[in-house]
Structures are given as C-alpha cells and as structure tokens.
C-alpha cells in the first residue's frame, strides 16, 4: 500500500468514529441550513427600507420592516447557537468513541511499543489529538460548511441583482480561495511540528513527575527543569512559527477584503448614479459584499484548527495502525482450566525487538505442576526477561515456552491472562476504591470474599482502619496513602483473587521492616501452595522454601537444580552465594 492510500484509509477509519446517526445528522442539516439562509434574507429588507423611506412610506410601514429585520437577526443568532450546541454534542459523542477505541488499542499494544513511548506522550495522543479533532468538527460545521453555503448564497443573489457586480464578486472569491489554498499548504508542516513538540514536552513532564522522588533524592532537580525548559522552548518556537504564518494569512485577507469592499462600493455607487439600480439596491449589494468577508475570515481562522485536526487525525490513524507484534494464534488452544500448571522453558533465546541484542541464550527450565523455582543472578542477568516470556509479554526468538503443555504462541490469549498471574515489585495503586484496586476494575466478587482475602494476606487490621472500608479511595491526590509493604500485600491479594495456576513473582527489592517482610513471606507461601511459581528473588533468604533454583548469568542458566541438592553441595554457586550473603543453608 502506498503512503498516500495508507493515510487515506487510516483517516477514513478515524472519521468513521465521528459520523453521527441519521437523525442527529438530519437535525444538524436543518440547523446549518437555517444558520445560512436567515442572514441572507436580511439585506433585501434593508433595501426595501431605504427605497420605501426615500419614496415617503409611512412610519408604521418602516417600523414593520425594521421589526422584520430584527426578528431575522435574532432568529439567525438562535440558529447559530443551536448549530453550535448540536455540533458540540456530536463532536463530543464521536470523540469519546474515538478515545475509547484508542485507549483500548493502546492498552493492547506490545510492551515493546510502550517501552518506546512515554505515558505522557500516549496521553497527549489519546486526548490532545482527539480534542483538536473535536474542536475542528464543531468549527467545520459552524464556520466552514455554514460559511461556504453563505458564500454561495450571496453570490447567487448578487448575480441575480446585478450580474456585473456578481461577476466581479465571483472572480474575487475564486482568486481569494486559490490564494488561501496555496497558503494552507505552507502552514500544514508548521502546525504538525508544533503538535509534535507539545507531545514531546508532555512526555518529558510526565516522566519527570513520575520520577520526582529519585530526581529530588539525587539533587537532579535543576537539570531536570533545564531539560523541560529546553523542551518548552522548542514547543514555544514551533507554536510561534505556526502562529506567525496564521497571523500573516489573516492580515493578508484583511487587506485584500478592504480593497475588494472599496471596489464593490464604487461599482454600486456607479450603478446608482447611472440609474441602473436604486439606492436601496446599492445598499443591498454593499451589504452582501460585506457578508462575503465574514465567512472568508472564519475560513482562514479555521485553517489553523484544520491543520491541527489534520495532524491529529493522521497521528491518531498512525496509532490505530500500529499492530501488535505478538501474533494472535490462528487456532487458539485452551490452557488447563483448573489446578497448578506445568511450565517448561525449552532452549529459549531472546532479544528485545528495539535493539536486537541477545539477552537470553539457550535457557532450559522445567517445573512440574505445583513446583516453585527461584531465579537468582546479578542485576541485568536476564531474570525479568525470562519472567516476561513466561507471561507472554514477548515471544522468544528461539525455542519455546510451554505452559500446561501448550506453546504460549498457540495458547488462547484470554486463558493466558486468566491462568498466569504476575506480582511485580512496582505495585501500581490506582486512584480508586479498595474494591477496584483489588479486582483491577473487573466486576468484584461479594464483599465477604474481598474481606477474607485481605485478612488472609495480613491486611485485616489495615482494612479495619480505613474510614470507609472497601469503599475507601486509595492513591491519587485525595485518596488514602498506602505504604510499600501494604502495597505488596495488596498485590498478593490481587493474585489470590485472580486464582491463577502459575504465579510469576518479582520480589520487592525495596527495604521493608522485618515484621512486614515476614507477613509478606507468609502470604507468598500461602499463594504458592497448590500453584506453580517462578520467583525472581532479590533476597536469598526468601528462597528457603522453593523447590528449584536457577542461577542466571549473562542471559544463560549457569546452574540449575533442586534447592536441597545445591545447598548440600558446598562447591555449587548457590551455596557460595548463600555463604557470601551470610544466609544459613
Ligand atoms: N525493554 C527492554 N528493551 C531492551 N533491553 C532490555 C529491556 N529490558 C531489559 N533489557 C536488557 O536485557 C538485559 C537483561 O535485563 P533483565 O531486566 O531481564 O535483567 P534482570 O536480571 O531482571 O535485572 P534486575 O535484577 O536488575 O531486574 C539487560 O541487559 C537489560 O539492559
């Protein structure tokens, strides 16, 4: 597919979300028509008024015409307000649908994609671009469609009244339209550039705010702010450039229209002097000529929004066109629905798609249902990468990961998410109630079940201390705070509720007080009872109850065996690691 046709298809797929229903569209058409026609009816009344006043008509007659004029003006404004209201409603409905699709799509993309794009950038793309599109939809209906219709109406009427002035106006509009179309091409890249700089700024800001603790602790605040200042400055200049072009276009139209109006006025005066038209008709022509100016001004004003929207639509389309690199199985196979799951990692090699550097080589591990494995090794040795493959966040580049006898590439993705559960060390607490934090927004089971799980993991007293029990809002600016230990226990409670057959645990490396550590260890033991488990251990002491140990170094398994055998052999790496760490065997 060529880039142009690809762009056209992604754009039309974005616009499909914005299309209103037939009834809403019909009401909108009527309202836009009224917004156009009503102002067109006013100048003939002015012409009548002037001619009848010169002809000596009664005051009553003139007041009636004036009242008619006033009614038309009010009705025109009401129609415009109605169109604005309808267009805003439709734009919000459409863009909310688009936001929903985009957010769902973005959440489903590979971890590799999210690794390359910061959350701030994603927010700007899911929301900022969509807002630009929504604003344009409203402006398009109000200013562009209604404006062009008004322009056409004016031309038809002026032609009917005086073909010479009509001809002049037509030539003038064609020239002005052509000049604007040319100018528009000039402005598109600068608007797209301004939006891209904006997204980069927000991406950086989000990252700095997320890492505020680290930045402050390391005294890097000044440098972080300096980088933000640079990003803000680039954004400012990009906006400045795009604004300068917009202002230049606007100023150009003002000058051109002032000259055009002067010529039209001269033509009307000449027509009246030569007796071809009445004074009233000259006023009428002058009014219509003035009317042309407003839609043209609005059109050029919309040009910038149009460019922002066009850039937004293109970027939204590009995001929607990003496909998962993890292929969906053609014939998805279910995983065993209950009980602990067997795990076998067979000759696995792996490189992250971004840099292609080999991080795992020939990794072979196996766990019978219900067995637990401790992964140990230096930082950067590849433990987390193995865990990611077991969770099918990536596919291995060589070999296979089988769970319950099924290659994860062939397994039903829904079953993988249901039966394999991750407990990570960075526990995300959402600004939501305890219930949603436990179920991750799934429909919750009965409160009794949630309370039992919290008591089981040792959070009974914590729950009792919360002001609104399960309804208490956690996290966020106004929510109840959660300590690191409580967050870990909440993560374990989540895993209990999900009731998986295989648990992959990245043990918390942050320091916890000994009492909390013991509570967590007890909960982990309970969680792993009757389940298969893979634990990335940062403290060797917490591996006292695992069945097997794999020592990873440089992406390879350098030692693998049953824990009791490795502990009993003083020459084993694991035994030496225990001795070095001062942990009793
Ligand atoms: N998303 C990623 N993209 C590219 N390379 C990555 C990515 N994540 C990790 N790596 C690289 O893969 C290698 C293994 O990292 P991994 O996180 O698996 O090690 P680890 O043993 O879990 O380390 P730690 O104990 O510090 O968590 C490292 O060289 C790391 O730089």
């Amino acid at each position: 597919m060529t880039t142009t046709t690809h762009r056209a298809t992604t754009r039309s797929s974005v616009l499909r979300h914005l299309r209103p229903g037939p009834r809403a569209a019909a009401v909108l058409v009527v309202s836009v028509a009224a917004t156009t026609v009503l102002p067109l009816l006013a100048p003939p009344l002015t012409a009548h008024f002037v001619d009848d006043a010169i002809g000596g008509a009664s005051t009553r007659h003139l007041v009636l015409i004036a009242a008619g004029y006033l009614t038309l003006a009010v009705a025109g404004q009401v129609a415009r307000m109605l169109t604005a209201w309808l267009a805003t409603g439709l734009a919000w409905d459409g863009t909310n649908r688009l936001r929903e699709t985009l957010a769902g799509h973005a959440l489903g993309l590979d971890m590799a994609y999210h690794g390359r794009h910061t959350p701030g950038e994603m927010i700007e793309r899911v929301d900022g671009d969509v807002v630009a599109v929504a604003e344009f939809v409203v402006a398009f209906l109000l200013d562009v469609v209604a404006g062009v219709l008004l322009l056409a109406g004016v031309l038809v009427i002026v032609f009917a009244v005086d073909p010479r002035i009509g001809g002049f106006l037509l030539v003038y509009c064609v020239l002005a339209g052509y000049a604007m179309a040319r100018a528009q091409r000039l402005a598109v890249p600068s608007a797209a550039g301004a939006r891209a700089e904006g997204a980069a700024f927000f991406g950086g800001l989000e990252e700095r705010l997320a890492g505020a603790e680290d930045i402050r602790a390391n005294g890097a605040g000044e440098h972080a702010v300096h980088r933000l200042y640079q990003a803000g400055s680039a954004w400012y200049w990009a906006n400045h450039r795009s604004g300068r072009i917009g202002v230049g276009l606007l100023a150009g139209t003002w000058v051109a229209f002032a000259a055009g109006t002067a010529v039209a006025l001269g033509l009307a005066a000449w027509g009246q002097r030569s007796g071809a038209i009445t004074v009233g008709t000259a006023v009428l022509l002058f009014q219509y000529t003035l009317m042309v100016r407003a839609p043209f001004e609005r059109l050029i004003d919309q040009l910038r929004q149009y460019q922002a929207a066009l850039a937004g639509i293109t970027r939204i389309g590009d995001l929607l066109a990003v496909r998962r690199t993890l292929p969906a199985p053609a014939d998805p196979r279910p995983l065993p629905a209950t009980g602990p799951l067997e795990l076998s990692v067979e000759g696995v090699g792996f490189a992250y798609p971004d840099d292609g550097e080999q991080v795992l080589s020939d990794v072979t591990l196996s766990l019978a249902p219900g067995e637990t494995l401790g992964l140990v090794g230096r930082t950067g040795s590849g433990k987390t990468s193995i865990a990611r493959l077991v969770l099918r966040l990536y596919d291995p580049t060589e070999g296979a990961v089988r769970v319950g006898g099924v290659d994860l590439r062939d397994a039903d993705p829904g079953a993988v998410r249901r039966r394999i559960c991750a407990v990570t060390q960075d526990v995300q607490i959402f600004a939501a109630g305890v219930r949603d934090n436990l179920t991750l927004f799934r429909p919750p089971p009965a409160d009794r079940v949630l309370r039992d799980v919290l008591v089981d993991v040792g959070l009974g007293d914590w729950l009792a201390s919360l002001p609104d029990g399960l309804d208490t809002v956690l996290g966020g600016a106004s929510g109840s705070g959660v300590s690191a230990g409580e967050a870990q226990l909440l993560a374990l409670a989540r895993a209990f509720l999900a009731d998986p057959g295989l648990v992959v645990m990245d043990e918390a490396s942050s320091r916890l007080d000994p009492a909390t550590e013991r509570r967590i260890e007890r909960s982990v033991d309970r969680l792993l009872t009757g389940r298969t488990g893979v634990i990335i251990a940062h403290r060797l002491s917490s591996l006292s109850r695992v069945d097997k140990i794999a020592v990873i170094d440089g992406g390879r398994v350098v030692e693998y065996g049953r824990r009791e055998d490795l502990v009993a052999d003083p020459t084993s790496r694991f035994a030496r690691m225990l001795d070095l760490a001062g942990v009793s065997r």
Side-chain angles (χ1 to χ4, degrees):
M1 210 191 277
T2 64
T3 318
T4 329
T5 47
H6 167 77
R7 284 258 150 104
T9 16
T10 49
R11 267 183 208 166
S12 68
S13 88
V14 173
L15 292 175
R16 213 174 313 126
H17 284 85
L18 304 173
R19 201 180 294 156
R23 259 184 59 183
V27 177
L28 194 66
V29 167
V30 172
S31 162
V32 169
T35 312
T36 315
V37 172
L38 290 171
L40 282 176
L41 299 179
L45 283 186
T46 328
H48 268 300
F49 186 93
V50 172
D51 286 340
D52 293 357
I54 291 171
S58 70
T59 312
R60 192 169 170 274
H61 176 78
L62 294 177
V63 168
L64 269 178
I65 297 180
Y69 184 90
L70 202 65
T71 312
L72 270 182
V74 171
Q77 282 311 310
V78 169
R80 197 171 162 75
M81 276 163 59
L82 188 69
T83 309
W85 181 69
L86 287 170
T88 308
L90 286 177
W92 273 98
D93 281 351
T95 44
N96 276 347
R97 279 195 297 273
L98 195 55
R99 267 193 196 93
E100 218 173 291
T101 308
L102 267 180
H105 177 75
L107 283 174
L109 288 175
D110 298 343
M111 294 314 292
Y113 183 86
H114 287 288
R116 286 195 303 273
H117 301 269
T118 62
E121 192 185 331
M122 295 304 291
I123 291 168
E124 176 62 8
R125 291 186 85 172
V126 171
D127 196 69
D129 286 337
V130 170
V131 168
V133 174
E135 282 173 357
F136 176 68
V137 169
V138 178
F140 181 77
L141 288 166
L142 265 182
D143 293 337
V144 182
V145 174
V148 168
L149 287 178
L150 188 71
L151 211 59
V154 167
L155 282 171
V156 168
I157 296 174
V158 174
F159 245 110
V161 174
D162 188 320
R164 286 164 304 181
I165 300 184
F168 160 75
L169 211 55
L170 178 65
V171 171
Y172 184 73
C173 286
V174 169
L175 285 178
Y178 175 74
M180 276 168 61
R182 292 289 306 226
Q184 176 202 323
R185 256 184 245 147
L186 241 161
V188 170
S190 64
R195 283 207 73 72
E197 294 290 357
F201 176 82
F202 281 114
L205 184 61
E206 201 275 346
E207 209 176 66
R208 302 306 184 281
L209 288 177
E213 200 173 329
D214 282 348
I215 289 177
R216 210 183 299 173
N218 292 296
E222 208 177 305
H223 306 292
V225 170
H226 181 65
R227 282 289 170 85
L228 271 183
Y229 167 78
Q230 284 175 331
S233 160
W235 187 22
Y236 168 79
W237 284 114
N239 256 323
H240 194 265
R241 228 178 351 264
S242 147
R244 219 171 39 214
I245 293 175
V247 169
L249 290 178
L250 207 58
T253 38
W254 275 346
V255 172
F257 273 106
T261 312
V263 176
L265 195 58
L267 282 174
W270 166 77
Q272 196 269 329
R273 284 248 177 95
S274 64
I277 53 173
T278 64
V279 178
T281 310
V283 171
L284 174 140
L285 289 174
F286 179 59
Q287 273 194 319
Y288 277 129
T289 317
L290 283 184
M291 258 190 192
V292 169
R293 181 177 171 166
F296 257 101
E297 266 176 15
R298 283 199 205 122
L299 278 176
I300 201 141
D301 210 22
Q302 285 321 314
L303 222 55
R304 257 154 46 94
Q305 278 206 38
Y306 166 70
Q307 279 124 34
L310 205 64
I313 288 178
T314 307
R315 285 155 49 89
I316 291 169
D318 288 349
L319 178 56
L320 283 177
V322 178
R323 292 275 153 253
R324 297 197 57 168
T325 48
L326 294 184
D331 182 18
R333 292 180 55 195
L335 296 182
T338 52
L341 293 166
E342 180 197 347
L343 168 70
S344 109
V345 178
E346 298 166 2
V348 157
F350 178 61
Y352 282 96
D354 327 349
D355 55 15
E357 207 169 300
Q358 190 82 4
V359 293
L360 295 177
S361 307
D362 199 22
V363 174
T364 298
L365 304 161
S366 71
L367 288 180
E371 276 189 336
T372 49
L373 167 76
L375 288 177
V376 291
R378 270 202 288 263
T379 180
S381 55
K383 305 179 295 291
T384 308
S385 305
I386 296 177
R388 286 176 178 152
L389 296 181
V390 173
L391 290 163
R392 208 196 172 207
L393 297 178
Y394 296 89
D395 278 338
T397 37
E398 287 156 48
V401 178
R402 286 179 207 282
V403 172
V406 181
D407 187 328
L408 282 183
R409 283 173 288 218
D410 302 327
D412 169 16
V416 172
R417 295 289 155 254
R418 268 193 311 278
R419 299 288 289 135
I420 309 177
C421 172
V423 181
T424 55
Q425 44 172 308
D426 298 320
V427 184
Q428 180 72 43
I429 300 296
F430 295 95
V434 177
R435 252 185 227 94
D436 285 336
N437 266 293
L438 282 173
T439 59
L440 297 183
F441 306 99
R442 279 190 285 265
D447 284 358
R448 185 180 40 78
V449 178
L450 296 180
R451 281 204 191 90
D452 287 352
V453 166
L454 286 175
V455 171
D456 270 355
V457 297
L459 283 175
D461 290 344
W462 173 78
L463 177 64
S465 74
L466 292 178
D468 300 315
L470 290 170
D471 291 318
T472 310
V473 173
L474 305 178
S478 54
S480 294
V482 176
S483 73
E486 287 159 356
Q488 284 293 319
L489 290 166
L490 265 176
L492 290 170
R494 281 176 187 163
F496 270 109
L497 279 169
D499 193 18
L502 169 60
V503 181
V504 178
M505 241 183 82
D506 197 349
E507 190 192 60
S509 55
S510 50
R511 269 181 196 285
L512 299 169
D513 63 89
T516 311
E517 237 170 60
R518 269 197 302 281
R519 253 175 15 183
I520 291 177
E521 268 172 33
R522 273 199 301 274
S523 298
V524 170
D525 280 350
R526 258 207 304 275
L527 177 65
L528 293 178
T529 309
R531 294 189 174 91
T532 313
V534 176
I535 304 176
I536 299 177
H538 296 281
R539 284 183 305 272
L540 297 177
S541 58
S542 57
L543 287 176
S544 55
R545 283 172 298 273
V546 296
D547 299 302
K548 290 177 170 175
I549 295 284
V551 182
I552 315 293
D553 192 12
R556 288 176 185 277
V557 179
V558 290
E559 188 169 271
Y560 175 52
R562 303 205 73 80
R563 182 183 186 281
E564 67 231 27
D565 298 339
L566 297 181
V567 169
D569 175 3
T571 61
S572 74
R573 284 178 184 247
F574 185 58
R576 274 180 284 149
M577 283 164 92
L578 289 177
D579 291 345
L580 270 174
V583 178
S584 66
R585 292 201 237 147

